[in-house]
Amino acid sequence: MMSWKRALSAAAIVLPLLALLAFGLTRNPNVIPSPLPGREAPQFELLTLPLAEGGTPETVDLAALRGNVVVLNFWASWCLACRDEHAPLSRVARAYADEGVQFFGIVYDDSPRNARQWIEAMGGQAYPALLDPHSRTAIDYGLYGVPETFVIGPDGTVRHKIIGPATEQELRAQIDALLLERREIELPAGGEHPVTETI
Amino acid sequence: MKTTRAPRIVATLLLGLIIQGIGGAADGAAAPQSAEQQRPGDGEATRGAADAALERRTSEVASGLRCPVCQGVSVEDSPTELARQMRGVVREQLAAGRTPDEVRAFFEDKYGEWILLEPKANGFNLVVYILPWLALLAGLGVIVIVVRRWTRPPPGEAPQPAQPVASSLEP
Protein backbone atom coordinates (compact mmCIF):
# COMPACT_ATOMS: atom_id res chain seq x y z
CA MET A 1 0.00 0.00 0.00
CA MET A 2 2.65 2.49 1.09
CA SER A 3 5.20 1.32 -1.45
CA TRP A 4 3.11 1.94 -4.58
CA LYS A 5 2.11 5.36 -3.28
CA ARG A 6 5.76 6.15 -2.85
CA ALA A 7 6.58 4.80 -6.31
CA LEU A 8 3.84 6.95 -7.80
CA SER A 9 5.08 10.16 -6.19
CA ALA A 10 8.65 9.34 -7.22
CA ALA A 11 7.47 8.82 -10.81
CA ALA A 12 5.61 12.14 -10.69
CA ILE A 13 8.91 13.89 -9.98
CA VAL A 14 11.29 11.79 -12.05
CA LEU A 15 9.27 11.41 -15.27
CA PRO A 16 8.83 15.13 -16.03
CA LEU A 17 12.54 15.65 -15.33
CA LEU A 18 13.44 12.77 -17.64
CA ALA A 19 11.14 14.20 -20.32
CA LEU A 20 12.83 17.60 -19.98
CA LEU A 21 16.30 16.08 -20.29
CA ALA A 22 15.25 13.90 -23.21
CA PHE A 23 13.93 17.00 -24.97
CA GLY A 24 17.29 18.66 -24.35
CA LEU A 25 19.06 15.75 -26.03
CA THR A 26 17.08 16.27 -29.22
CA ARG A 27 18.47 19.77 -29.60
CA ASN A 28 21.88 20.53 -31.04
CA PRO A 29 23.40 23.46 -29.17
CA ASN A 30 25.76 24.12 -32.09
CA VAL A 31 22.95 24.85 -34.52
CA ILE A 32 21.69 28.28 -33.66
CA PRO A 33 18.58 29.22 -35.60
CA SER A 34 19.15 32.45 -37.49
CA PRO A 35 16.28 34.92 -37.54
CA LEU A 36 17.45 36.14 -40.96
CA PRO A 37 15.89 33.75 -43.51
CA GLY A 38 12.63 35.23 -44.74
CA ARG A 39 13.66 38.76 -43.86
CA GLU A 40 15.11 41.49 -46.04
CA ALA A 41 18.85 41.07 -46.45
CA PRO A 42 20.83 43.68 -44.49
CA GLN A 43 22.10 46.30 -46.93
CA PHE A 44 25.76 46.98 -47.49
CA GLU A 45 28.08 48.98 -49.67
CA LEU A 46 31.50 47.38 -49.63
CA LEU A 47 34.72 47.77 -51.58
CA THR A 48 36.15 44.89 -53.56
CA LEU A 49 39.60 43.53 -52.84
CA PRO A 50 41.65 44.15 -55.98
CA LEU A 51 43.60 41.01 -56.74
CA ALA A 52 46.51 42.94 -58.21
CA GLU A 53 48.61 44.89 -55.74
CA GLY A 54 47.65 48.56 -56.02
CA GLY A 55 44.53 47.89 -58.10
CA THR A 56 41.51 50.15 -57.73
CA PRO A 57 38.69 48.77 -55.63
CA GLU A 58 35.11 48.94 -56.86
CA THR A 59 32.03 49.58 -54.78
CA VAL A 60 29.41 46.86 -54.56
CA ASP A 61 25.98 48.00 -53.41
CA LEU A 62 23.59 45.18 -52.52
CA ALA A 63 20.55 47.37 -53.22
CA ALA A 64 21.65 47.74 -56.85
CA LEU A 65 21.56 43.96 -57.28
CA ARG A 66 17.85 43.67 -56.56
CA GLY A 67 16.26 41.31 -59.08
CA ASN A 68 19.20 38.93 -59.06
CA VAL A 69 19.93 35.91 -56.99
CA VAL A 70 22.88 36.87 -54.78
CA VAL A 71 25.10 34.44 -52.89
CA LEU A 72 27.17 35.89 -50.05
CA ASN A 73 29.92 33.74 -48.64
CA PHE A 74 31.75 34.88 -45.52
CA TRP A 75 35.28 33.48 -45.43
CA ALA A 76 38.77 34.06 -44.05
CA SER A 77 42.26 32.91 -45.00
CA TRP A 78 42.68 31.37 -41.53
CA CYS A 79 39.53 29.29 -41.90
CA LEU A 80 40.24 25.66 -42.76
CA ALA A 81 36.70 24.72 -43.76
CA CYS A 82 36.76 27.60 -46.25
CA ARG A 83 39.31 25.62 -48.27
CA ASP A 84 36.85 22.76 -48.65
CA GLU A 85 34.10 24.93 -50.06
CA HIS A 86 36.32 27.05 -52.30
CA ALA A 87 36.17 24.72 -55.32
CA PRO A 88 32.41 24.03 -55.16
CA LEU A 89 31.63 27.73 -54.71
CA SER A 90 33.76 28.76 -57.67
CA ARG A 91 32.31 25.96 -59.80
CA VAL A 92 28.70 26.91 -59.04
CA ALA A 93 29.47 30.62 -59.50
CA ARG A 94 30.84 29.92 -63.00
CA ALA A 95 27.94 27.64 -63.88
CA TYR A 96 25.33 30.27 -62.99
CA ALA A 97 27.13 33.41 -64.16
CA ASP A 98 25.01 33.51 -67.32
CA GLU A 99 21.80 33.33 -65.29
CA GLY A 100 22.67 36.55 -63.52
CA VAL A 101 23.48 34.90 -60.21
CA GLN A 102 25.97 37.09 -58.34
CA PHE A 103 28.47 35.55 -55.97
CA PHE A 104 30.51 37.55 -53.47
CA GLY A 105 33.04 36.44 -50.92
CA ILE A 106 33.05 38.72 -47.88
CA VAL A 107 36.40 38.62 -46.11
CA TYR A 108 35.87 38.25 -42.39
CA ASP A 109 38.40 39.34 -39.74
CA ASP A 110 41.38 39.12 -42.04
CA SER A 111 43.98 41.40 -43.60
CA PRO A 112 43.64 42.26 -47.31
CA ARG A 113 47.16 40.93 -47.82
CA ASN A 114 46.40 37.51 -46.32
CA ALA A 115 43.11 37.33 -48.21
CA ARG A 116 44.85 38.13 -51.50
CA GLN A 117 47.58 35.55 -50.88
CA TRP A 118 44.97 32.93 -50.02
CA ILE A 119 43.04 33.55 -53.25
CA GLU A 120 46.30 33.27 -55.21
CA ALA A 121 47.26 30.06 -53.43
CA MET A 122 43.83 28.56 -54.10
CA GLY A 123 44.17 29.30 -57.82
CA GLY A 124 41.86 32.29 -57.96
CA GLN A 125 38.23 32.89 -57.04
CA ALA A 126 35.45 32.99 -59.63
CA TYR A 127 33.80 36.00 -58.00
CA PRO A 128 34.81 39.26 -56.30
CA ALA A 129 36.03 39.37 -52.72
CA LEU A 130 34.66 42.21 -50.58
CA LEU A 131 36.35 43.81 -47.60
CA ASP A 132 34.26 44.34 -44.47
CA PRO A 133 35.95 46.91 -42.24
CA HIS A 134 35.16 46.50 -38.53
CA SER A 135 33.08 43.39 -39.38
CA ARG A 136 29.97 45.58 -39.53
CA THR A 137 28.39 43.58 -42.34
CA ALA A 138 29.24 40.33 -40.54
CA ILE A 139 27.43 41.60 -37.42
CA ASP A 140 24.48 42.74 -39.55
CA TYR A 141 24.19 39.21 -40.90
CA GLY A 142 24.41 37.70 -37.41
CA LEU A 143 27.58 35.84 -38.26
CA TYR A 144 28.93 33.49 -35.64
CA GLY A 145 31.72 31.86 -37.52
CA VAL A 146 33.15 31.21 -40.95
CA PRO A 147 32.26 29.84 -43.37
CA GLU A 148 28.66 30.91 -43.58
CA THR A 149 26.78 31.42 -46.81
CA PHE A 150 23.60 33.40 -47.40
CA VAL A 151 21.43 32.97 -50.48
CA ILE A 152 19.41 36.10 -51.27
CA GLY A 153 16.40 35.96 -53.57
CA PRO A 154 15.54 38.37 -56.42
CA ASP A 155 13.15 40.14 -54.03
CA GLY A 156 16.04 41.04 -51.76
CA THR A 157 15.14 38.71 -48.89
CA VAL A 158 17.47 36.18 -47.34
CA ARG A 159 16.19 32.77 -48.40
CA HIS A 160 18.71 30.36 -47.03
CA LYS A 161 21.67 30.22 -44.71
CA ILE A 162 24.35 27.56 -44.96
CA ILE A 163 26.40 27.04 -41.80
CA GLY A 164 29.79 25.48 -42.43
CA PRO A 165 31.26 24.58 -45.81
CA ALA A 166 28.76 24.93 -48.64
CA THR A 167 28.33 21.96 -50.95
CA GLU A 168 27.70 22.11 -54.67
CA GLN A 169 24.48 20.14 -54.29
CA GLU A 170 22.97 22.45 -51.68
CA LEU A 171 23.99 25.60 -53.57
CA ARG A 172 22.55 24.34 -56.86
CA ALA A 173 19.29 23.26 -55.22
CA GLN A 174 18.82 26.66 -53.56
CA ILE A 175 19.74 28.68 -56.64
CA ASP A 176 17.62 26.54 -58.97
CA ALA A 177 14.57 27.05 -56.76
CA LEU A 178 15.05 30.82 -56.77
CA LEU A 179 15.65 30.99 -60.53
CA LEU A 180 12.48 29.01 -61.10
CA GLU A 181 10.62 31.43 -58.86
CA ARG A 182 11.98 34.38 -60.80
CA ARG A 183 10.97 32.84 -64.12
CA GLU A 184 7.45 32.34 -62.82
CA ILE A 185 7.28 36.00 -61.84
CA GLU A 186 8.59 37.07 -65.25
CA LEU A 187 6.09 34.88 -67.10
CA PRO A 188 2.64 35.97 -66.05
CA ALA A 189 -0.11 33.40 -66.43
CA GLY A 190 -0.89 32.83 -70.10
CA GLY A 191 1.75 35.26 -71.31
CA GLU A 192 3.55 33.95 -74.39
CA HIS A 193 6.16 36.65 -74.42
CA PRO A 194 8.74 36.32 -71.73
CA VAL A 195 9.62 39.66 -70.26
CA THR A 196 13.27 39.93 -71.13
CA GLU A 197 14.02 43.09 -69.25
CA THR A 198 12.62 43.21 -65.78
CA ILE A 199 13.28 45.50 -62.89
CA MET B 1 22.64 8.66 22.56
CA LYS B 2 25.28 8.55 19.84
CA THR B 3 22.88 6.98 17.37
CA THR B 4 20.38 9.80 17.84
CA ARG B 5 23.00 12.57 17.72
CA ALA B 6 24.60 11.59 14.45
CA PRO B 7 21.60 12.48 12.23
CA ARG B 8 21.38 15.89 13.85
CA ILE B 9 24.99 16.58 13.02
CA VAL B 10 24.45 15.41 9.45
CA ALA B 11 21.38 17.62 9.12
CA THR B 12 23.22 20.65 10.49
CA LEU B 13 26.09 20.05 8.09
CA LEU B 14 23.69 19.71 5.14
CA LEU B 15 21.89 22.92 6.06
CA GLY B 16 25.22 24.66 6.44
CA LEU B 17 26.29 23.48 2.99
CA ILE B 18 23.04 24.68 1.42
CA ILE B 19 23.34 28.10 3.04
CA GLN B 20 26.95 28.32 1.92
CA GLY B 21 25.88 27.36 -1.59
CA ILE B 22 23.33 30.17 -1.72
CA GLY B 23 25.90 32.62 -0.43
CA GLY B 24 28.40 31.40 -3.03
CA ALA B 25 25.89 31.88 -5.83
CA ALA B 26 25.26 35.44 -4.67
CA ASP B 27 29.01 36.09 -4.68
CA GLY B 28 29.23 34.74 -8.22
CA ALA B 29 26.46 37.04 -9.37
CA ALA B 30 28.19 40.04 -7.85
CA ALA B 31 31.62 39.27 -9.28
CA PRO B 32 31.11 40.40 -12.94
CA GLN B 33 30.17 43.87 -11.79
CA SER B 34 33.41 44.42 -9.98
CA ALA B 35 35.29 43.09 -13.02
CA GLU B 36 33.48 45.61 -15.21
CA GLN B 37 34.77 48.54 -13.28
CA GLN B 38 38.37 47.47 -13.57
CA ARG B 39 38.32 46.91 -17.30
CA PRO B 40 39.80 49.68 -19.42
CA GLY B 41 37.98 50.51 -22.65
CA ASP B 42 39.81 48.72 -25.47
CA GLY B 43 42.92 50.83 -25.32
CA GLU B 44 41.06 54.06 -25.98
CA ALA B 45 41.95 56.77 -23.54
CA THR B 46 38.93 57.45 -21.40
CA ARG B 47 38.79 61.19 -20.99
CA GLY B 48 36.34 62.86 -18.69
CA ALA B 49 33.43 61.57 -16.72
CA ALA B 50 31.16 61.32 -19.78
CA ASP B 51 33.60 58.92 -21.46
CA ALA B 52 33.87 56.86 -18.29
CA ALA B 53 30.09 56.69 -18.04
CA LEU B 54 29.83 55.60 -21.68
CA GLU B 55 32.45 52.90 -21.10
CA ARG B 56 30.58 51.69 -18.05
CA ARG B 57 27.31 51.51 -19.96
CA THR B 58 29.04 49.76 -22.85
CA SER B 59 30.47 47.17 -20.46
CA GLU B 60 27.07 46.70 -18.89
CA VAL B 61 25.38 45.94 -22.22
CA ALA B 62 28.33 43.91 -23.56
CA SER B 63 28.35 41.68 -20.46
CA GLY B 64 24.81 40.62 -21.28
CA LEU B 65 25.58 39.68 -24.89
CA ARG B 66 26.94 36.29 -25.86
CA CYS B 67 30.10 36.28 -27.96
CA PRO B 68 29.04 34.52 -31.18
CA VAL B 69 32.43 32.97 -31.92
CA CYS B 70 33.15 31.74 -28.37
CA GLN B 71 31.77 29.11 -26.02
CA GLY B 72 29.72 30.68 -23.26
CA VAL B 73 31.71 33.91 -23.00
CA SER B 74 30.20 37.38 -23.05
CA VAL B 75 31.09 40.02 -25.62
CA GLU B 76 32.59 42.00 -22.75
CA ASP B 77 34.95 39.22 -21.66
CA SER B 78 35.94 37.84 -25.06
CA PRO B 79 39.26 38.90 -26.59
CA THR B 80 38.16 37.96 -30.13
CA GLU B 81 38.03 40.43 -32.97
CA LEU B 82 34.30 40.03 -33.53
CA ALA B 83 33.56 40.72 -29.85
CA ARG B 84 35.81 43.79 -30.03
CA GLN B 85 33.87 45.06 -33.05
CA MET B 86 30.58 44.30 -31.31
CA ARG B 87 31.70 46.35 -28.30
CA GLY B 88 32.40 49.10 -30.81
CA VAL B 89 28.85 48.85 -32.16
CA VAL B 90 27.42 48.93 -28.61
CA ARG B 91 29.50 51.98 -27.72
CA GLU B 92 28.57 53.74 -30.96
CA GLN B 93 24.85 53.16 -30.50
CA LEU B 94 24.88 54.20 -26.84
CA ALA B 95 26.79 57.35 -27.77
CA ALA B 96 24.15 58.05 -30.43
CA GLY B 97 21.53 58.12 -27.68
CA ARG B 98 20.07 54.64 -27.91
CA THR B 99 18.99 53.02 -24.67
CA PRO B 100 20.63 49.76 -23.49
CA ASP B 101 17.37 47.95 -24.26
CA GLU B 102 17.40 49.27 -27.81
CA VAL B 103 21.00 48.13 -28.29
CA ARG B 104 20.14 44.66 -26.98
CA ALA B 105 17.14 44.59 -29.31
CA PHE B 106 19.45 45.44 -32.23
CA PHE B 107 21.62 42.40 -31.56
CA GLU B 108 18.63 40.18 -30.84
CA ASP B 109 17.26 41.22 -34.21
CA LYS B 110 20.43 39.96 -35.92
CA TYR B 111 21.23 36.87 -33.88
CA GLY B 112 17.97 35.91 -32.25
CA GLU B 113 17.37 35.54 -28.53
CA TRP B 114 20.44 33.29 -28.41
CA ILE B 115 22.63 36.41 -28.22
CA LEU B 116 21.26 37.31 -24.78
CA LEU B 117 23.27 35.57 -22.06
CA GLU B 118 20.34 35.76 -19.68
CA PRO B 119 17.22 34.18 -21.17
CA LYS B 120 14.07 36.26 -21.00
CA ALA B 121 11.78 35.24 -18.18
CA ASN B 122 8.80 34.18 -20.25
CA GLY B 123 7.35 31.08 -21.88
CA PHE B 124 9.46 27.94 -21.79
CA ASN B 125 12.40 29.91 -20.35
CA LEU B 126 10.55 30.13 -17.04
CA VAL B 127 11.66 26.53 -16.39
CA VAL B 128 15.19 27.84 -15.89
CA TYR B 129 14.02 30.38 -13.34
CA ILE B 130 11.53 28.27 -11.40
CA LEU B 131 13.01 24.76 -11.42
CA PRO B 132 16.05 25.49 -9.17
CA TRP B 133 13.83 27.01 -6.50
CA LEU B 134 11.42 24.08 -6.72
CA ALA B 135 14.35 21.67 -6.37
CA LEU B 136 15.63 23.62 -3.37
CA LEU B 137 12.22 23.54 -1.71
CA ALA B 138 11.87 19.82 -2.41
CA GLY B 139 15.34 19.21 -0.98
CA LEU B 140 14.51 21.13 2.19
CA GLY B 141 11.30 19.14 2.48
CA VAL B 142 13.20 15.87 2.16
CA ILE B 143 15.68 16.97 4.84
CA VAL B 144 12.90 17.93 7.24
CA ILE B 145 11.09 14.61 6.74
CA VAL B 146 14.26 12.51 7.03
CA VAL B 147 15.56 14.34 10.10
CA ARG B 148 12.18 13.96 11.83
CA ARG B 149 12.16 10.26 11.06
CA TRP B 150 15.72 9.79 12.32
CA THR B 151 15.15 11.68 15.56
CA ARG B 152 11.77 10.11 16.28
CA PRO B 153 12.12 7.76 19.28
CA PRO B 154 11.33 4.12 18.53
CA PRO B 155 7.70 3.24 19.31
CA GLY B 156 7.06 2.06 22.87
CA GLU B 157 10.16 3.78 24.22
CA ALA B 158 10.00 6.91 26.33
CA PRO B 159 11.88 9.99 25.09
CA GLN B 160 15.49 9.92 26.24
CA PRO B 161 16.37 12.36 29.02
CA ALA B 162 19.25 14.74 28.34
CA GLN B 163 21.47 13.70 31.25
CA PRO B 164 22.61 10.31 29.99
CA VAL B 165 23.96 11.93 26.82
CA ALA B 166 25.99 14.46 28.78
CA SER B 167 27.29 11.86 31.20
CA SER B 168 28.28 9.51 28.40
CA LEU B 169 30.81 12.12 27.17
CA GLU B 170 32.65 12.06 30.48
CA PRO B 171 35.39 9.54 30.87
Side-chain angles (χ1 to χ4, degrees):
Chain A
M1 193 57 187
M2 194 60 205
S3 69
W4 72 255
K5 242 186 191 172
R6 187 181 283 189
L8 212 68
S9 55
I13 295 171
V14 171
L15 286 181
L17 271 180
L18 272 181
L20 188 67
L21 294 176
F23 171 68
L25 283 179
T26 63
R27 293 160 62 89
N28 183 352
N30 293 321
V31 173
I32 300 146
S34 168
L36 231 55
R39 295 211 319 225
E40 187 167 343
Q43 294 302 311
F44 62 76
E45 248 179 82
L46 295 175
L47 292 176
T48 58
L49 167 74
L51 289 183
E53 199 91 42
T56 34
E58 285 167 39
T59 306
V60 171
D61 181 4
L62 182 68
L65 299 168
R66 186 63 70 99
N68 295 311
V69 175
V70 178
V71 178
L72 297 179
N73 170 248
F74 286 87
W75 67 277
S77 69
W78 45 263
C79 150
L80 283 178
C82 298
R83 291 165 191 270
D84 298 339
E85 63 168 11
H86 177 262
L89 272 169
S90 280
R91 220 165 25 239
V92 178
R94 277 194 203 96
Y96 287 89
D98 293 341
E99 310 250 19
V101 179
Q102 306 268 344
F103 276 65
F104 296 100
I106 300 182
V107 183
Y108 165 74
D109 188 10
D110 208 347
S111 73
R113 190 164 156 270
N114 286 349
R116 192 181 289 123
Q117 281 175 353
W118 188 86
I119 293 173
E120 268 170 35
M122 297 299 288
Q125 213 166 26
Y127 45 89
L130 307 178
L131 294 175
D132 179 23
H134 305 300
S135 302
R136 291 303 157 94
T137 306
I139 294 172
D140 273 347
Y141 277 82
L143 199 81
Y144 62 87
V146 275
E148 274 182 23
T149 307
F150 295 86
V151 183
I152 299 169
D155 59 350
T157 60
V158 175
R159 294 307 187 83
H160 191 65
K161 178 182 180 180
I162 302 172
I163 298 166
T167 61
E168 186 161 354
Q169 195 186 6
E170 189 171 11
L171 283 169
R172 279 182 180 274
Q174 292 297 329
I175 295 169
D176 282 341
L178 288 175
L179 288 177
L180 190 71
E181 198 177 295
R182 189 173 67 171
R183 253 173 240 126
E184 277 163 7
I185 295 167
E186 285 171 7
L187 284 170
E192 288 95 358
H193 308 292
V195 183
T196 46
E197 295 238 319
T198 48
I199 293 108
Chain B
M1 289 141 300
K2 270 179 191 164
T3 44
T4 55
R5 279 181 67 89
R8 276 178 202 262
I9 293 167
V10 171
T12 316
L13 276 175
L14 271 175
L15 273 173
L17 277 175
I18 289 168
I19 290 162
Q20 225 182 354
I22 293 169
D27 286 349
Q33 280 179 342
S34 54
E36 268 167 33
Q37 283 152 5
Q38 290 163 4
R39 189 187 189 88
D42 285 339
E44 286 170 26
T46 45
R47 290 181 300 268
D51 281 358
L54 178 62
E55 286 310 312
R56 202 172 52 244
R57 290 191 330 135
T58 302
S59 300
E60 224 169 84
V61 175
S63 328
L65 297 174
R66 192 193 301 268
C67 162
V69 293
C70 318
Q71 297 284 333
V73 178
S74 77
V75 164
E76 171 68 8
D77 297 329
S78 164
T80 61
E81 178 64 15
L82 187 63
R84 208 171 70 85
Q85 300 302 350
M86 285 171 78
R87 284 199 293 274
V89 172
V90 172
R91 189 179 298 119
E92 211 171 77
Q93 295 197 356
L94 286 175
R98 289 212 201 182
T99 65
D101 277 341
E102 283 170 341
V103 177
R104 275 188 283 268
F106 169 84
F107 283 101
E108 202 187 333
D109 185 56
K110 310 289 181 199
Y111 285 93
E113 202 191 327
W114 173 89
I115 198 79
L116 303 176
L117 271 176
E118 193 173 312
K120 287 180 175 174
N122 57 31
F124 184 69
N125 291 349
L126 282 174
V127 171
V128 179
Y129 288 89
I130 294 171
L131 208 57
W133 293 105
L134 281 182
L136 193 68
L137 274 179
L140 284 174
V142 165
I143 290 172
V144 166
I145 289 169
V146 166
V147 166
R148 271 194 185 169
R149 190 168 295 168
W150 279 342
T151 52
R152 193 191 298 150
E157 219 176 279
Q160 294 288 334
Q163 284 93 335
V165 177
S167 62
S168 73
L169 288 175
E170 281 165 27

